[in-house]
Amino acid sequence: QKITRIGQQLSRLPIDPKLGRILIEATQENCLSEALIIVSALSVQDPRERPMDRQQAADEAHKKFSDTRSDFISWLNLWNHFSQQREALSSSKLRKWCKDNFISWMRMREWQDTHRQIQKMLRDTDYKFNSTDAKYDALHRAILSGFLSNIGFKEEGHEYQSCRQRKFHIFPGSDLFNRGPKWVVASDIVETQKVYARHLARIEPQWISEKAAHLIKHSYTSPHWEKKSSQVSATRKSTLFGLLINPGTKVNYGPINSQESREIFIREALVQGNFDCKHDFFIHNRKLVEQIENLEAKSRRQDILVEEETIYNFYDTNLPDDIYSGPQLNRWVKQNDTSILKLSIDILMQQDADHINADQFPDTLTINSIHFPIEYHFDPSHHCDGITLITPVAGLASLNTQMCDWLVPGMLLEKITELIRSLPKKLRKNFVPAPDFAKACLDALVAGENNLTISLSNHLRKMTGVDIPFDAWQPHQLADYLLLNYRVIDNDGKVLAENRDLNKLQQQFSDYTQVSPVQAESHELEADNVDYHILDNLPECIDINNNGITIKAYPTLTVQNKQVNVRIIHSRDESIELQREGMRQLFINALSQPLRHLKSTLRNIQTLCNRYTPIGSCDELKQQLIYRMIDTLFTRHMPESSATFESLLDQQRGNMDEELNKILKQIDIILATYQRLYRQLKNPPLHWLDAMTDIQDQLNHLLGKFFIVTTSDQAFSDLPRYLMAIEKRLEKIQQNPERDRKARLEIASLWSDYKKRNEQLTKNNQHSAQLEEYRWLLEEYRISLFAQEIKTRVPVSSKRLRKAWLEISDA
């Protein structure tokens, strides 16, 4: 074998090769002067003496030469002290100094002679000595190069792991004993009672990598793709003669193992798309894969897109063998045609998906004329599994569960099937097999015409004659993907919340406001302190573009104290209610003078106020009387222009006194009857107690806090009859309490169904005129049950009520 340059240099140095290697390296590190002193010391016997009878004194004397970082520096310190004393003292005094400091005079002479001989030899071979003091790092890097097999790494306790599976302790005579640096190098390792390392120094692990690069062995683990650097990286572990030097460093794995790196690059970057790549072929291929993955998400199947191995084989065949990173691909693309890397639908699809079309699985849901974008996900472990509807906060008001419960046509059959299976067993057994009944319902029903479960109840009743109670359906038992997921975003597209409970989201964001340029479209219409002339410039609705979603909004009259403002409202139902209140206030403001006169006539209604006390205050009573009079004469006409408004004022202004007196007479009768009932119910006899809950519930619905304003004209005129019917019922309870109990049971289920449906509509901010009419039919039916002596407005039977209830369900 050929001798290296360093080998040739060592052959000319007649000393231990380890020591010679230190001198060669010291020349490069500019520390040859100091290294020569240390090498000379290592070539002779240690001049420091430690007599058995004076060990402590010797240790104290030697302390002045010690260095806590390095025993090699201790030698330098001894050499320098001796040199200074030799210059200053005579030969006899120098001998005495050596004796006092427990230094062997003869060994010092031997050290000097060895140093002189090696120095002359080095000068003859043109070695360059440094003229400035050497630094610690440079000197010990040179020393390390000679003792690479004597490196130690501290483990638990005081033990060090060295090369070739050896372990050692620091020799007690060393200045590093009990200091325990993490990494050390020793000049020699000897075995006595224990294995000891002598003449040590603290070193840094990075020096080992520099000086032992030709001896260090590397192993690589965990090769992986890194998107940011566009390359395959791995963890490199380095060992020197079996000693772990570096437990883990991240390196570019491509040049080390190009074949494995190429495979990882193709699988992770190109196949899985975890790659920031702007090349046409990559964008084209990712779009095709995403389209097919979207088809799989819609159909909830994973058998349309080919296996990843097929895509890998395509790239492996067409991509050059020497490309394993992003930068290499970029260079290749600049000089070659990339069309060979473009995938096709034929390659990517293992079966057709014609049944997954836009009709069955649309990309948007249209609700109240707004096109809401939707996303499909197929991952049962993910919170977005199923269909996610995306809406800005402003769009929440336009959503309702009646439309959203129908999902999309492609998923409706499965949802109907699972809904039927959710029914209690005594009902479910009438619709077996469930898929067949679900298919029949799917073919007959029109999505969105009614609530899904109500539509199902009606159609299943037509098919089998079996009635399904409203609360028998158990939609909460369905899998999450059969319930729409709602994602609420702000004007910048940031996700604010996600939930499958629409009502909860609508309540959560009911008071949410956000200033944004999107709202600028409505600023022209919004105004403060307007009068009725604003009606000429108030459109019924406007379109607002919010994050790509066009939302209908409603310029609406709103009331703030006695001032009328125009605000943009996103909920149509809320807009209608606020518009009615705003219109009422416009008329009140326009009729301030005559209303002042009317209010003065209300000062003498103390008797009415006393009767109204269980319901509300006297001021609230007076306000509602004025409101009802305004609503009756003006507000219910809802004029759409200032001209119509003025015309209505002229027509009805003179009827205000008469209308108010009419209302006062009606309310006087109502409250007089209510007062009598209130006194009776305050201290009821024992045989009334069973009926008390039902009667109080009825009264709460008849005479709520705002009943004077909210009750329709027909119902308002009927209130005296309903109250008198309650009085008659109380009389009859005394005569026949058992009869009252039977009648109460007969109406209980009807009244319970009404309350549940009404509560649901209220919760969803919805209103049903048919349900309101049904509610007053129930009052007429109560009369026929409990007080037949009082005339009913229309004849009502339980059969007619059931028919009316079915009509409400069909609607």
Side-chain angles (χ1 to χ4, degrees), residues 298-326:
K298 289 178 176 180
S299 63
R300 301 189 65 78
R301 294 166 49 189
Q302 290 184 330
D303 57 357
I304 301 176
L305 181 66
V306 296
E307 298 292 333
E308 286 188 355
E309 197 64 29
T310 303
I311 305 176
Y312 170 82
N313 291 333
F314 171 82
Y315 281 118
D316 187 37
T317 302
N318 294 286
L319 194 69
D321 294 339
D322 58 348
I323 294 178
Y324 50 74
S325 70

mmCIF file of all heavy atoms in Angstrom, residues 298-326:
data_model
loop_
_atom_site.group_PDB
_atom_site.id
_atom_site.type_symbol
_atom_site.label_atom_id
_atom_site.label_comp_id
_atom_site.label_asym_id
_atom_site.label_seq_id
_atom_site.Cartn_x
_atom_site.Cartn_y
_atom_site.Cartn_z
ATOM 1 N N LYS A 298 -67.670 11.971 -1.874
ATOM 2 C CA LYS A 298 -69.104 12.100 -2.112
ATOM 3 C C LYS A 298 -69.807 10.747 -2.001
ATOM 4 O O LYS A 298 -70.873 10.632 -1.382
ATOM 5 C CB LYS A 298 -69.350 12.707 -3.493
ATOM 6 C CG LYS A 298 -68.988 14.187 -3.595
ATOM 7 C CD LYS A 298 -69.212 14.722 -5.000
ATOM 8 C CE LYS A 298 -68.939 16.219 -5.083
ATOM 9 N NZ LYS A 298 -69.155 16.750 -6.449
ATOM 10 N N SER A 299 -69.225 9.745 -2.600
ATOM 11 C CA SER A 299 -69.864 8.422 -2.610
ATOM 12 C C SER A 299 -69.519 7.598 -1.373
ATOM 13 O O SER A 299 -70.050 6.509 -1.187
ATOM 14 C CB SER A 299 -69.435 7.642 -3.852
ATOM 15 O OG SER A 299 -68.038 7.403 -3.831
ATOM 16 N N ARG A 300 -68.607 8.128 -0.534
ATOM 17 C CA ARG A 300 -68.155 7.430 0.668
ATOM 18 C C ARG A 300 -67.633 6.027 0.327
ATOM 19 O O ARG A 300 -67.963 5.034 0.978
ATOM 20 C CB ARG A 300 -69.252 7.378 1.736
ATOM 21 C CG ARG A 300 -69.720 8.759 2.161
ATOM 22 C CD ARG A 300 -70.624 8.715 3.357
ATOM 23 N NE ARG A 300 -69.968 8.239 4.551
ATOM 24 C CZ ARG A 300 -69.142 8.973 5.316
ATOM 25 N NH1 ARG A 300 -68.866 10.230 4.965
ATOM 26 N NH2 ARG A 300 -68.594 8.465 6.400
ATOM 27 N N ARG A 301 -66.804 6.006 -0.712
ATOM 28 C CA ARG A 301 -66.145 4.777 -1.138
ATOM 29 C C ARG A 301 -64.686 5.095 -1.439
ATOM 30 O O ARG A 301 -64.342 6.217 -1.792
ATOM 31 C CB ARG A 301 -66.802 4.215 -2.411
ATOM 32 C CG ARG A 301 -68.216 3.746 -2.212
ATOM 33 C CD ARG A 301 -68.905 3.537 -3.557
ATOM 34 N NE ARG A 301 -68.115 2.754 -4.487
ATOM 35 C CZ ARG A 301 -68.438 2.593 -5.776
ATOM 36 N NH1 ARG A 301 -69.529 3.154 -6.251
ATOM 37 N NH2 ARG A 301 -67.689 1.865 -6.566
ATOM 38 N N GLN A 302 -63.821 4.096 -1.313
ATOM 39 C CA GLN A 302 -62.408 4.313 -1.595
ATOM 40 C C GLN A 302 -61.900 3.318 -2.635
ATOM 41 O O GLN A 302 -60.790 2.801 -2.536
ATOM 42 C CB GLN A 302 -61.586 4.194 -0.301
ATOM 43 C CG GLN A 302 -61.831 5.354 0.652
ATOM 44 C CD GLN A 302 -60.954 5.300 1.880
ATOM 45 O OE1 GLN A 302 -60.578 4.224 2.337
ATOM 46 N NE2 GLN A 302 -60.620 6.455 2.436
ATOM 47 N N ASP A 303 -62.726 3.079 -3.639
ATOM 48 C CA ASP A 303 -62.352 2.116 -4.664
ATOM 49 C C ASP A 303 -62.374 2.728 -6.056
ATOM 50 O O ASP A 303 -62.451 2.008 -7.056
ATOM 51 C CB ASP A 303 -63.277 0.896 -4.604
ATOM 52 C CG ASP A 303 -64.755 1.285 -4.759
ATOM 53 O OD1 ASP A 303 -65.048 2.497 -4.847
ATOM 54 O OD2 ASP A 303 -65.598 0.378 -4.789
ATOM 55 N N ILE A 304 -62.325 4.060 -6.140
ATOM 56 C CA ILE A 304 -62.340 4.721 -7.460
ATOM 57 C C ILE A 304 -60.926 5.090 -7.872
ATOM 58 O O ILE A 304 -60.482 4.783 -8.981
ATOM 59 C CB ILE A 304 -63.243 5.969 -7.423
ATOM 60 C CG1 ILE A 304 -64.673 5.573 -7.032
ATOM 61 C CG2 ILE A 304 -63.238 6.665 -8.798
ATOM 62 C CD1 ILE A 304 -65.619 6.746 -6.878
ATOM 63 N N LEU A 305 -60.179 5.735 -6.992
ATOM 64 C CA LEU A 305 -58.794 6.093 -7.277
ATOM 65 C C LEU A 305 -57.925 4.846 -7.188
ATOM 66 O O LEU A 305 -58.089 4.013 -6.288
ATOM 67 C CB LEU A 305 -58.304 7.142 -6.266
ATOM 68 C CG LEU A 305 -56.876 7.655 -6.434
ATOM 69 C CD1 LEU A 305 -56.751 8.441 -7.732
ATOM 70 C CD2 LEU A 305 -56.465 8.529 -5.254
ATOM 71 N N VAL A 306 -56.987 4.707 -8.130
ATOM 72 C CA VAL A 306 -56.092 3.550 -8.137
ATOM 73 C C VAL A 306 -55.201 3.575 -6.898
ATOM 74 O O VAL A 306 -55.054 4.601 -6.218
ATOM 75 C CB VAL A 306 -55.214 3.543 -9.407
ATOM 76 C CG1 VAL A 306 -56.050 3.375 -10.650
ATOM 77 C CG2 VAL A 306 -54.391 4.829 -9.487
ATOM 78 N N GLU A 307 -54.593 2.445 -6.604
ATOM 79 C CA GLU A 307 -53.675 2.372 -5.476
ATOM 80 C C GLU A 307 -52.463 3.272 -5.726
ATOM 81 O O GLU A 307 -52.091 3.541 -6.874
ATOM 82 C CB GLU A 307 -53.200 0.917 -5.282
ATOM 83 C CG GLU A 307 -54.305 -0.067 -4.953
ATOM 84 C CD GLU A 307 -54.896 0.180 -3.575
ATOM 85 O OE1 GLU A 307 -54.169 0.721 -2.706
ATOM 86 O OE2 GLU A 307 -56.075 -0.152 -3.366
ATOM 87 N N GLU A 308 -51.844 3.719 -4.642
ATOM 88 C CA GLU A 308 -50.677 4.593 -4.760
ATOM 89 C C GLU A 308 -49.551 3.915 -5.527
ATOM 90 O O GLU A 308 -48.751 4.586 -6.181
ATOM 91 C CB GLU A 308 -50.180 5.014 -3.373
ATOM 92 C CG GLU A 308 -51.069 6.044 -2.689
ATOM 93 C CD GLU A 308 -50.449 6.573 -1.413
ATOM 94 O OE1 GLU A 308 -49.377 6.055 -1.017
ATOM 95 O OE2 GLU A 308 -51.029 7.497 -0.809
ATOM 96 N N GLU A 309 -49.497 2.594 -5.431
ATOM 97 C CA GLU A 309 -48.426 1.864 -6.113
ATOM 98 C C GLU A 309 -48.487 2.069 -7.623
ATOM 99 O O GLU A 309 -47.442 2.137 -8.300
ATOM 100 C CB GLU A 309 -48.512 0.374 -5.773
ATOM 101 C CG GLU A 309 -47.255 -0.416 -6.079
ATOM 102 C CD GLU A 309 -46.065 0.039 -5.246
ATOM 103 O OE1 GLU A 309 -46.270 0.529 -4.116
ATOM 104 O OE2 GLU A 309 -44.932 -0.097 -5.750
ATOM 105 N N THR A 310 -49.697 2.193 -8.169
ATOM 106 C CA THR A 310 -49.853 2.424 -9.613
ATOM 107 C C THR A 310 -49.276 3.774 -10.003
ATOM 108 O O THR A 310 -48.577 3.922 -11.029
ATOM 109 C CB THR A 310 -51.339 2.356 -9.997
ATOM 110 O OG1 THR A 310 -51.867 1.085 -9.613
ATOM 111 C CG2 THR A 310 -51.527 2.559 -11.490
ATOM 112 N N ILE A 311 -49.575 4.804 -9.201
ATOM 113 C CA ILE A 311 -49.040 6.144 -9.485
ATOM 114 C C ILE A 311 -47.531 6.143 -9.311
ATOM 115 O O ILE A 311 -46.799 6.773 -10.090
ATOM 116 C CB ILE A 311 -49.704 7.191 -8.560
ATOM 117 C CG1 ILE A 311 -51.229 7.131 -8.692
ATOM 118 C CG2 ILE A 311 -49.208 8.585 -8.890
ATOM 119 C CD1 ILE A 311 -51.965 8.064 -7.746
ATOM 120 N N TYR A 312 -47.041 5.424 -8.281
ATOM 121 C CA TYR A 312 -45.592 5.348 -8.077
ATOM 122 C C TYR A 312 -44.912 4.707 -9.294
ATOM 123 O O TYR A 312 -43.880 5.204 -9.770
ATOM 124 C CB TYR A 312 -45.283 4.535 -6.818
ATOM 125 C CG TYR A 312 -43.815 4.217 -6.669
ATOM 126 C CD1 TYR A 312 -42.945 5.151 -6.130
ATOM 127 C CD2 TYR A 312 -43.299 2.992 -7.103
ATOM 128 C CE1 TYR A 312 -41.588 4.876 -6.010
ATOM 129 C CE2 TYR A 312 -41.945 2.709 -6.993
ATOM 130 C CZ TYR A 312 -41.090 3.653 -6.440
ATOM 131 O OH TYR A 312 -39.753 3.382 -6.344
ATOM 132 N N ASN A 313 -45.464 3.631 -9.775
ATOM 133 C CA ASN A 313 -44.857 2.954 -10.935
ATOM 134 C C ASN A 313 -44.833 3.865 -12.150
ATOM 135 O O ASN A 313 -43.886 3.815 -12.954
ATOM 136 C CB ASN A 313 -45.622 1.671 -11.249
ATOM 137 C CG ASN A 313 -45.431 0.618 -10.165
ATOM 138 O OD1 ASN A 313 -44.423 0.604 -9.468
ATOM 139 N ND2 ASN A 313 -46.411 -0.270 -10.017
ATOM 140 N N PHE A 314 -45.860 4.702 -12.307
ATOM 141 C CA PHE A 314 -45.893 5.644 -13.433
ATOM 142 C C PHE A 314 -44.708 6.603 -13.347
ATOM 143 O O PHE A 314 -43.978 6.805 -14.332
ATOM 144 C CB PHE A 314 -47.211 6.417 -13.418
ATOM 145 C CG PHE A 314 -47.263 7.556 -14.387
ATOM 146 C CD1 PHE A 314 -47.570 7.351 -15.723
ATOM 147 C CD2 PHE A 314 -46.980 8.857 -13.971
ATOM 148 C CE1 PHE A 314 -47.604 8.411 -16.629
ATOM 149 C CE2 PHE A 314 -47.015 9.925 -14.862
ATOM 150 C CZ PHE A 314 -47.328 9.693 -16.187
ATOM 151 N N TYR A 315 -44.507 7.213 -12.183
ATOM 152 C CA TYR A 315 -43.389 8.151 -12.029
ATOM 153 C C TYR A 315 -42.051 7.425 -12.120
ATOM 154 O O TYR A 315 -41.082 7.940 -12.701
ATOM 155 C CB TYR A 315 -43.489 8.874 -10.693
ATOM 156 C CG TYR A 315 -44.488 10.009 -10.671
ATOM 157 C CD1 TYR A 315 -45.585 9.965 -9.806
ATOM 158 C CD2 TYR A 315 -44.337 11.120 -11.491
ATOM 159 C CE1 TYR A 315 -46.501 11.007 -9.773
ATOM 160 C CE2 TYR A 315 -45.248 12.164 -11.461
ATOM 161 C CZ TYR A 315 -46.331 12.110 -10.603
ATOM 162 O OH TYR A 315 -47.229 13.139 -10.573
ATOM 163 N N ASP A 316 -41.979 6.244 -11.537
ATOM 164 C CA ASP A 316 -40.724 5.485 -11.542
ATOM 165 C C ASP A 316 -40.290 5.157 -12.967
ATOM 166 O O ASP A 316 -39.098 5.158 -13.290
ATOM 167 C CB ASP A 316 -40.913 4.205 -10.730
ATOM 168 C CG ASP A 316 -39.612 3.445 -10.536
ATOM 169 O OD1 ASP A 316 -38.571 4.111 -10.368
ATOM 170 O OD2 ASP A 316 -39.635 2.199 -10.551
ATOM 171 N N THR A 317 -41.263 4.911 -13.825
ATOM 172 C CA THR A 317 -40.964 4.568 -15.214
ATOM 173 C C THR A 317 -40.526 5.788 -16.018
ATOM 174 O O THR A 317 -39.620 5.698 -16.855
ATOM 175 C CB THR A 317 -42.198 3.922 -15.879
ATOM 176 O OG1 THR A 317 -42.578 2.771 -15.131
ATOM 177 C CG2 THR A 317 -41.917 3.556 -17.326
ATOM 178 N N ASN A 318 -41.161 6.931 -15.754
ATOM 179 C CA ASN A 318 -40.946 8.104 -16.607
ATOM 180 C C ASN A 318 -39.952 9.129 -16.060
ATOM 181 O O ASN A 318 -39.511 10.008 -16.795
ATOM 182 C CB ASN A 318 -42.287 8.802 -16.848
ATOM 183 C CG ASN A 318 -43.250 7.943 -17.653
ATOM 184 O OD1 ASN A 318 -43.100 7.771 -18.860
ATOM 185 N ND2 ASN A 318 -44.241 7.382 -16.980
ATOM 186 N N LEU A 319 -39.611 9.029 -14.779
ATOM 187 C CA LEU A 319 -38.690 9.994 -14.188
ATOM 188 C C LEU A 319 -37.271 9.461 -14.282
ATOM 189 O O LEU A 319 -37.021 8.286 -13.991
ATOM 190 C CB LEU A 319 -39.064 10.228 -12.719
ATOM 191 C CG LEU A 319 -38.427 11.436 -12.025
ATOM 192 C CD1 LEU A 319 -38.975 12.734 -12.606
ATOM 193 C CD2 LEU A 319 -38.708 11.380 -10.525
ATOM 194 N N PRO A 320 -36.291 10.298 -14.692
ATOM 195 C CA PRO A 320 -34.896 9.836 -14.783
ATOM 196 C C PRO A 320 -34.396 9.265 -13.452
ATOM 197 O O PRO A 320 -34.807 9.694 -12.376
ATOM 198 C CB PRO A 320 -34.135 11.116 -15.162
ATOM 199 C CG PRO A 320 -35.146 11.957 -15.877
ATOM 200 C CD PRO A 320 -36.452 11.662 -15.208
ATOM 201 N N ASP A 321 -33.456 8.311 -13.555
ATOM 202 C CA ASP A 321 -32.996 7.583 -12.371
ATOM 203 C C ASP A 321 -32.192 8.438 -11.404
ATOM 204 O O ASP A 321 -32.069 8.085 -10.224
ATOM 205 C CB ASP A 321 -32.133 6.381 -12.802
ATOM 206 C CG ASP A 321 -32.957 5.355 -13.556
ATOM 207 O OD1 ASP A 321 -34.195 5.361 -13.397
ATOM 208 O OD2 ASP A 321 -32.359 4.541 -14.287
ATOM 209 N N ASP A 322 -31.629 9.552 -11.873
ATOM 210 C CA ASP A 322 -30.736 10.331 -11.010
ATOM 211 C C ASP A 322 -31.438 11.491 -10.310
ATOM 212 O O ASP A 322 -30.780 12.379 -9.753
ATOM 213 C CB ASP A 322 -29.555 10.865 -11.824
ATOM 214 C CG ASP A 322 -30.013 11.728 -12.997
ATOM 215 O OD1 ASP A 322 -31.226 11.723 -13.306
ATOM 216 O OD2 ASP A 322 -29.161 12.417 -13.593
ATOM 217 N N ILE A 323 -32.761 11.511 -10.295
ATOM 218 C CA ILE A 323 -33.499 12.609 -9.647
ATOM 219 C C ILE A 323 -34.080 12.110 -8.329
ATOM 220 O O ILE A 323 -34.869 11.162 -8.300
ATOM 221 C CB ILE A 323 -34.619 13.146 -10.565
ATOM 222 C CG1 ILE A 323 -34.010 13.817 -11.796
ATOM 223 C CG2 ILE A 323 -35.518 14.133 -9.806
ATOM 224 C CD1 ILE A 323 -35.022 14.338 -12.777
ATOM 225 N N TYR A 324 -33.658 12.760 -7.255
ATOM 226 C CA TYR A 324 -34.154 12.355 -5.940
ATOM 227 C C TYR A 324 -34.486 13.560 -5.047
ATOM 228 O O TYR A 324 -34.652 13.405 -3.835
ATOM 229 C CB TYR A 324 -33.143 11.454 -5.234
ATOM 230 C CG TYR A 324 -31.724 11.993 -5.194
ATOM 231 C CD1 TYR A 324 -31.370 13.052 -4.327
ATOM 232 C CD2 TYR A 324 -30.735 11.468 -6.014
ATOM 233 C CE1 TYR A 324 -30.083 13.548 -4.294
ATOM 234 C CE2 TYR A 324 -29.444 11.955 -5.988
ATOM 235 C CZ TYR A 324 -29.117 12.993 -5.128
ATOM 236 O OH TYR A 324 -27.839 13.489 -5.100
ATOM 237 N N SER A 325 -34.567 14.767 -5.617
ATOM 238 C CA SER A 325 -34.877 15.957 -4.806
ATOM 239 C C SER A 325 -35.554 17.018 -5.664
ATOM 240 O O SER A 325 -35.537 16.944 -6.907
ATOM 241 C CB SER A 325 -33.600 16.530 -4.176
ATOM 242 O OG SER A 325 -32.775 17.111 -5.179
ATOM 243 N N GLY A 326 -36.121 18.027 -4.999
ATOM 244 C CA GLY A 326 -36.777 19.124 -5.704
ATOM 245 C C GLY A 326 -35.833 19.916 -6.591
ATOM 246 O O GLY A 326 -36.144 20.176 -7.765
#
